[in-house]
Amino acid sequence: MENKNRPRSYIIYALTAAALLFTVMAKPDKTELDTTQAKLNQTIKETKDINNEQYQNQTTKKVINLPKSKQKVATNLTKAISDIYGNASTKELKEEFKKLQEVLGKDFLEKTMGKPQQLYTKNDSTIVSFGDTSNLSEVPITINTTYTYKNSVGKKLHTNKMFMINYNFKKTRVTNENEVELKPVGSDE
């Protein structure tokens, strides 16, 4: 009887050894594990980067409320031009220079303030009108201002000045400008 069980035990031993050998042989190599782990970490990092970029694009994407933005731009431009052409003293203009520069931009402000402000006595009106707003990076704006100034002999004259500018609503700044000086009312100049 013992002989009959012996072949069975050899079979069990042989199967156990084969299973053990298969387990040892099937165990992945350390470099394979490291390579797989590195690929997994890279994929996770790329996924996080994409998610962060999408989140930042959504939160930093500036949604422009055009009617509100137009009103704010019109108010700021009207005040700035009105102040320069008669509503503010030279001292007040110097104090407000940084704010005027933010509204009008450095180049436009230098061109506008390059004239002697003490000659401007009163701003009668300033009107801001907007052109086509389909391209928010280059919206044409016309500013028409009427003011009183003293000429070189002290005579008060009324005149108009028109500025044609392009305004970038996305960057909230003047992109370029053009000045048209109209003939003073009641003068031969």
mmCIF file of all heavy atoms in Angstrom, residues 39-66:
data_model
loop_
_atom_site.group_PDB
_atom_site.id
_atom_site.type_symbol
_atom_site.label_atom_id
_atom_site.label_comp_id
_atom_site.label_asym_id
_atom_site.label_seq_id
_atom_site.Cartn_x
_atom_site.Cartn_y
_atom_site.Cartn_z
ATOM 1 N N LYS A 39 6.030 55.204 -15.636
ATOM 2 C CA LYS A 39 5.024 55.531 -16.645
ATOM 3 C C LYS A 39 3.709 55.918 -15.991
ATOM 4 O O LYS A 39 3.039 56.866 -16.426
ATOM 5 C CB LYS A 39 4.808 54.345 -17.590
ATOM 6 C CG LYS A 39 5.930 54.127 -18.561
ATOM 7 C CD LYS A 39 5.662 52.922 -19.454
ATOM 8 C CE LYS A 39 6.812 52.652 -20.398
ATOM 9 N NZ LYS A 39 6.579 51.446 -21.210
ATOM 10 N N LEU A 40 3.332 55.201 -14.954
ATOM 11 C CA LEU A 40 2.097 55.506 -14.227
ATOM 12 C C LEU A 40 2.188 56.890 -13.584
ATOM 13 O O LEU A 40 1.249 57.689 -13.683
ATOM 14 C CB LEU A 40 1.822 54.428 -13.172
ATOM 15 C CG LEU A 40 0.575 54.617 -12.323
ATOM 16 C CD1 LEU A 40 -0.674 54.598 -13.193
ATOM 17 C CD2 LEU A 40 0.487 53.540 -11.259
ATOM 18 N N ASN A 41 3.309 57.199 -12.935
ATOM 19 C CA ASN A 41 3.492 58.520 -12.309
ATOM 20 C C ASN A 41 3.463 59.634 -13.347
ATOM 21 O O ASN A 41 2.879 60.693 -13.114
ATOM 22 C CB ASN A 41 4.807 58.567 -11.526
ATOM 23 C CG ASN A 41 4.750 57.753 -10.249
ATOM 24 O OD1 ASN A 41 3.681 57.417 -9.753
ATOM 25 N ND2 ASN A 41 5.919 57.401 -9.729
ATOM 26 N N GLN A 42 4.079 59.419 -14.501
ATOM 27 C CA GLN A 42 4.082 60.420 -15.571
ATOM 28 C C GLN A 42 2.661 60.669 -16.081
ATOM 29 O O GLN A 42 2.259 61.813 -16.299
ATOM 30 C CB GLN A 42 4.997 59.960 -16.724
ATOM 31 C CG GLN A 42 5.082 60.934 -17.869
ATOM 32 C CD GLN A 42 5.728 62.252 -17.490
ATOM 33 O OE1 GLN A 42 6.538 62.318 -16.568
ATOM 34 N NE2 GLN A 42 5.358 63.309 -18.176
ATOM 35 N N THR A 43 1.900 59.603 -16.250
ATOM 36 C CA THR A 43 0.518 59.739 -16.717
ATOM 37 C C THR A 43 -0.326 60.507 -15.701
ATOM 38 O O THR A 43 -1.119 61.378 -16.062
ATOM 39 C CB THR A 43 -0.096 58.343 -16.971
ATOM 40 O OG1 THR A 43 0.722 57.642 -17.912
ATOM 41 C CG2 THR A 43 -1.509 58.456 -17.514
ATOM 42 N N ILE A 44 -0.150 60.213 -14.424
ATOM 43 C CA ILE A 44 -0.883 60.918 -13.365
ATOM 44 C C ILE A 44 -0.514 62.397 -13.370
ATOM 45 O O ILE A 44 -1.379 63.269 -13.282
ATOM 46 C CB ILE A 44 -0.604 60.270 -11.987
ATOM 47 C CG1 ILE A 44 -1.264 58.892 -11.910
ATOM 48 C CG2 ILE A 44 -1.093 61.172 -10.857
ATOM 49 C CD1 ILE A 44 -0.862 58.076 -10.700
ATOM 50 N N LYS A 45 0.786 62.704 -13.510
ATOM 51 C CA LYS A 45 1.246 64.101 -13.530
ATOM 52 C C LYS A 45 0.659 64.841 -14.738
ATOM 53 O O LYS A 45 0.185 65.969 -14.608
ATOM 54 C CB LYS A 45 2.772 64.149 -13.577
ATOM 55 C CG LYS A 45 3.343 65.562 -13.536
ATOM 56 C CD LYS A 45 4.861 65.524 -13.637
ATOM 57 C CE LYS A 45 5.482 66.884 -13.600
ATOM 58 N NZ LYS A 45 5.015 67.827 -14.560
ATOM 59 N N GLU A 46 0.686 64.215 -15.909
ATOM 60 C CA GLU A 46 0.129 64.847 -17.113
ATOM 61 C C GLU A 46 -1.365 65.107 -16.958
ATOM 62 O O GLU A 46 -1.863 66.157 -17.366
ATOM 63 C CB GLU A 46 0.401 63.980 -18.338
ATOM 64 C CG GLU A 46 1.853 63.976 -18.775
ATOM 65 C CD GLU A 46 2.142 62.972 -19.882
ATOM 66 O OE1 GLU A 46 1.219 62.264 -20.323
ATOM 67 O OE2 GLU A 46 3.316 62.897 -20.290
ATOM 68 N N THR A 47 -2.072 64.180 -16.368
ATOM 69 C CA THR A 47 -3.509 64.343 -16.134
ATOM 70 C C THR A 47 -3.764 65.517 -15.189
ATOM 71 O O THR A 47 -4.645 66.342 -15.441
ATOM 72 C CB THR A 47 -4.117 63.053 -15.559
ATOM 73 O OG1 THR A 47 -3.830 61.972 -16.441
ATOM 74 C CG2 THR A 47 -5.613 63.181 -15.382
ATOM 75 N N LYS A 48 -2.976 65.608 -14.114
ATOM 76 C CA LYS A 48 -3.135 66.721 -13.168
ATOM 77 C C LYS A 48 -2.820 68.048 -13.850
ATOM 78 O O LYS A 48 -3.522 69.039 -13.639
ATOM 79 C CB LYS A 48 -2.214 66.533 -11.957
ATOM 80 C CG LYS A 48 -2.718 65.518 -10.968
ATOM 81 C CD LYS A 48 -1.790 65.424 -9.769
ATOM 82 C CE LYS A 48 -2.283 64.394 -8.775
ATOM 83 N NZ LYS A 48 -1.367 64.260 -7.632
ATOM 84 N N ASP A 49 -1.751 68.083 -14.671
ATOM 85 C CA ASP A 49 -1.388 69.312 -15.377
ATOM 86 C C ASP A 49 -2.504 69.765 -16.312
ATOM 87 O O ASP A 49 -2.838 70.949 -16.379
ATOM 88 C CB ASP A 49 -0.096 69.124 -16.173
ATOM 89 C CG ASP A 49 1.140 69.005 -15.287
ATOM 90 O OD1 ASP A 49 1.039 69.330 -14.083
ATOM 91 O OD2 ASP A 49 2.192 68.585 -15.799
ATOM 92 N N ILE A 50 -3.080 68.827 -17.031
ATOM 93 C CA ILE A 50 -4.179 69.154 -17.946
ATOM 94 C C ILE A 50 -5.378 69.680 -17.165
ATOM 95 O O ILE A 50 -5.987 70.682 -17.534
ATOM 96 C CB ILE A 50 -4.561 67.922 -18.801
ATOM 97 C CG1 ILE A 50 -3.453 67.647 -19.814
ATOM 98 C CG2 ILE A 50 -5.888 68.146 -19.513
ATOM 99 C CD1 ILE A 50 -3.599 66.327 -20.542
ATOM 100 N N ASN A 51 -5.705 69.022 -16.058
ATOM 101 C CA ASN A 51 -6.833 69.473 -15.237
ATOM 102 C C ASN A 51 -6.575 70.860 -14.666
ATOM 103 O O ASN A 51 -7.471 71.709 -14.645
ATOM 104 C CB ASN A 51 -7.120 68.484 -14.116
ATOM 105 C CG ASN A 51 -7.756 67.201 -14.617
ATOM 106 O OD1 ASN A 51 -8.324 67.163 -15.700
ATOM 107 N ND2 ASN A 51 -7.649 66.144 -13.839
ATOM 108 N N ASN A 52 -5.352 71.118 -14.181
ATOM 109 C CA ASN A 52 -5.009 72.441 -13.641
ATOM 110 C C ASN A 52 -5.090 73.506 -14.719
ATOM 111 O O ASN A 52 -5.600 74.600 -14.487
ATOM 112 C CB ASN A 52 -3.607 72.432 -13.026
ATOM 113 C CG ASN A 52 -3.558 71.722 -11.692
ATOM 114 O OD1 ASN A 52 -4.579 71.535 -11.036
ATOM 115 N ND2 ASN A 52 -2.377 71.301 -11.303
ATOM 116 N N GLU A 53 -4.587 73.203 -15.913
ATOM 117 C CA GLU A 53 -4.627 74.165 -17.014
ATOM 118 C C GLU A 53 -6.070 74.488 -17.395
ATOM 119 O O GLU A 53 -6.421 75.648 -17.612
ATOM 120 C CB GLU A 53 -3.883 73.594 -18.216
ATOM 121 C CG GLU A 53 -3.773 74.553 -19.373
ATOM 122 C CD GLU A 53 -2.982 73.962 -20.525
ATOM 123 O OE1 GLU A 53 -2.051 73.196 -20.263
ATOM 124 O OE2 GLU A 53 -3.320 74.276 -21.665
ATOM 125 N N GLN A 54 -6.920 73.463 -17.469
ATOM 126 C CA GLN A 54 -8.320 73.697 -17.802
ATOM 127 C C GLN A 54 -8.993 74.538 -16.720
ATOM 128 O O GLN A 54 -9.763 75.447 -17.023
ATOM 129 C CB GLN A 54 -9.055 72.369 -17.979
ATOM 130 C CG GLN A 54 -8.688 71.641 -19.240
ATOM 131 C CD GLN A 54 -9.334 70.269 -19.342
ATOM 132 O OE1 GLN A 54 -9.826 69.722 -18.356
ATOM 133 N NE2 GLN A 54 -9.324 69.706 -20.539
ATOM 134 N N TYR A 55 -8.697 74.267 -15.459
ATOM 135 C CA TYR A 55 -9.282 75.035 -14.361
ATOM 136 C C TYR A 55 -8.831 76.493 -14.437
ATOM 137 O O TYR A 55 -9.645 77.411 -14.308
ATOM 138 C CB TYR A 55 -8.885 74.425 -13.015
ATOM 139 C CG TYR A 55 -9.375 75.228 -11.833
ATOM 140 C CD1 TYR A 55 -10.717 75.197 -11.456
ATOM 141 C CD2 TYR A 55 -8.512 76.043 -11.112
ATOM 142 C CE1 TYR A 55 -11.176 75.939 -10.390
ATOM 143 C CE2 TYR A 55 -8.962 76.792 -10.050
ATOM 144 C CZ TYR A 55 -10.292 76.736 -9.686
ATOM 145 O OH TYR A 55 -10.729 77.483 -8.636
ATOM 146 N N GLN A 56 -7.530 76.704 -14.663
ATOM 147 C CA GLN A 56 -7.019 78.072 -14.752
ATOM 148 C C GLN A 56 -7.620 78.802 -15.942
ATOM 149 O O GLN A 56 -7.936 79.983 -15.848
ATOM 150 C CB GLN A 56 -5.499 78.071 -14.846
ATOM 151 C CG GLN A 56 -4.832 77.728 -13.542
ATOM 152 C CD GLN A 56 -3.318 77.627 -13.659
ATOM 153 O OE1 GLN A 56 -2.781 77.592 -14.757
ATOM 154 N NE2 GLN A 56 -2.653 77.572 -12.531
ATOM 155 N N ASN A 57 -7.776 78.125 -17.064
ATOM 156 C CA ASN A 57 -8.388 78.762 -18.233
ATOM 157 C C ASN A 57 -9.821 79.180 -17.934
ATOM 158 O O ASN A 57 -10.276 80.226 -18.378
ATOM 159 C CB ASN A 57 -8.361 77.825 -19.444
ATOM 160 C CG ASN A 57 -6.980 77.717 -20.045
ATOM 161 O OD1 ASN A 57 -6.116 78.545 -19.786
ATOM 162 N ND2 ASN A 57 -6.770 76.683 -20.837
ATOM 163 N N GLN A 58 -10.531 78.362 -17.180
ATOM 164 C CA GLN A 58 -11.920 78.698 -16.858
ATOM 165 C C GLN A 58 -11.989 79.858 -15.891
ATOM 166 O O GLN A 58 -12.840 80.730 -16.013
ATOM 167 C CB GLN A 58 -12.639 77.490 -16.259
ATOM 168 C CG GLN A 58 -12.916 76.402 -17.264
ATOM 169 C CD GLN A 58 -13.486 75.158 -16.615
ATOM 170 O OE1 GLN A 58 -13.513 75.028 -15.398
ATOM 171 N NE2 GLN A 58 -13.938 74.236 -17.437
ATOM 172 N N THR A 59 -11.100 79.894 -14.882
ATOM 173 C CA THR A 59 -11.181 80.940 -13.872
ATOM 174 C C THR A 59 -10.563 82.245 -14.330
ATOM 175 O O THR A 59 -10.992 83.299 -13.903
ATOM 176 C CB THR A 59 -10.507 80.505 -12.555
ATOM 177 O OG1 THR A 59 -9.154 80.145 -12.830
ATOM 178 C CG2 THR A 59 -11.239 79.343 -11.929
ATOM 179 N N THR A 60 -9.540 82.186 -15.202
ATOM 180 C CA THR A 60 -8.921 83.431 -15.626
ATOM 181 C C THR A 60 -9.533 83.973 -16.916
ATOM 182 O O THR A 60 -9.227 85.083 -17.306
ATOM 183 C CB THR A 60 -7.401 83.260 -15.846
ATOM 184 O OG1 THR A 60 -7.188 82.239 -16.825
ATOM 185 C CG2 THR A 60 -6.706 82.898 -14.559
ATOM 186 N N LYS A 61 -10.356 83.204 -17.564
ATOM 187 C CA LYS A 61 -11.007 83.684 -18.787
ATOM 188 C C LYS A 61 -11.913 84.846 -18.387
ATOM 189 O O LYS A 61 -12.806 84.701 -17.569
ATOM 190 C CB LYS A 61 -11.814 82.557 -19.421
ATOM 191 C CG LYS A 61 -12.352 82.907 -20.775
ATOM 192 C CD LYS A 61 -13.026 81.703 -21.381
ATOM 193 C CE LYS A 61 -13.530 82.035 -22.760
ATOM 194 N NZ LYS A 61 -14.204 80.897 -23.355
ATOM 195 N N LYS A 62 -11.626 85.978 -18.976
ATOM 196 C CA LYS A 62 -12.336 87.188 -18.586
ATOM 197 C C LYS A 62 -13.638 87.290 -19.374
ATOM 198 O O LYS A 62 -13.629 87.410 -20.592
ATOM 199 C CB LYS A 62 -11.436 88.389 -18.866
ATOM 200 C CG LYS A 62 -11.874 89.642 -18.200
ATOM 201 C CD LYS A 62 -10.829 90.705 -18.390
ATOM 202 C CE LYS A 62 -11.164 91.927 -17.582
ATOM 203 N NZ LYS A 62 -10.162 92.958 -17.719
ATOM 204 N N VAL A 63 -14.725 87.256 -18.660
ATOM 205 C CA VAL A 63 -16.023 87.434 -19.292
ATOM 206 C C VAL A 63 -16.329 88.928 -19.227
ATOM 207 O O VAL A 63 -16.336 89.534 -18.164
ATOM 208 C CB VAL A 63 -17.113 86.615 -18.560
ATOM 209 C CG1 VAL A 63 -18.458 86.836 -19.191
ATOM 210 C CG2 VAL A 63 -16.748 85.142 -18.561
ATOM 211 N N ILE A 64 -16.553 89.513 -20.391
ATOM 212 C CA ILE A 64 -16.744 90.958 -20.464
ATOM 213 C C ILE A 64 -18.232 91.272 -20.539
ATOM 214 O O ILE A 64 -18.927 90.812 -21.430
ATOM 215 C CB ILE A 64 -16.010 91.534 -21.692
ATOM 216 C CG1 ILE A 64 -14.517 91.291 -21.536
ATOM 217 C CG2 ILE A 64 -16.312 93.010 -21.860
ATOM 218 C CD1 ILE A 64 -13.713 91.673 -22.749
ATOM 219 N N ASN A 65 -18.681 92.054 -19.572
ATOM 220 C CA ASN A 65 -20.044 92.566 -19.585
ATOM 221 C C ASN A 65 -19.977 93.873 -20.382
ATOM 222 O O ASN A 65 -19.628 94.921 -19.841
ATOM 223 C CB ASN A 65 -20.518 92.794 -18.149
ATOM 224 C CG ASN A 65 -21.924 93.336 -18.079
ATOM 225 O OD1 ASN A 65 -22.461 93.843 -19.063
ATOM 226 N ND2 ASN A 65 -22.510 93.246 -16.913
ATOM 227 N N LEU A 66 -20.265 93.793 -21.680
ATOM 228 C CA LEU A 66 -20.031 94.920 -22.582
ATOM 229 C C LEU A 66 -20.779 96.196 -22.191
ATOM 230 O O LEU A 66 -20.158 97.259 -22.139
ATOM 231 C CB LEU A 66 -20.325 94.517 -24.027
ATOM 232 C CG LEU A 66 -19.869 95.501 -25.083
ATOM 233 C CD1 LEU A 66 -18.366 95.750 -24.995
ATOM 234 C CD2 LEU A 66 -20.233 94.999 -26.457
#
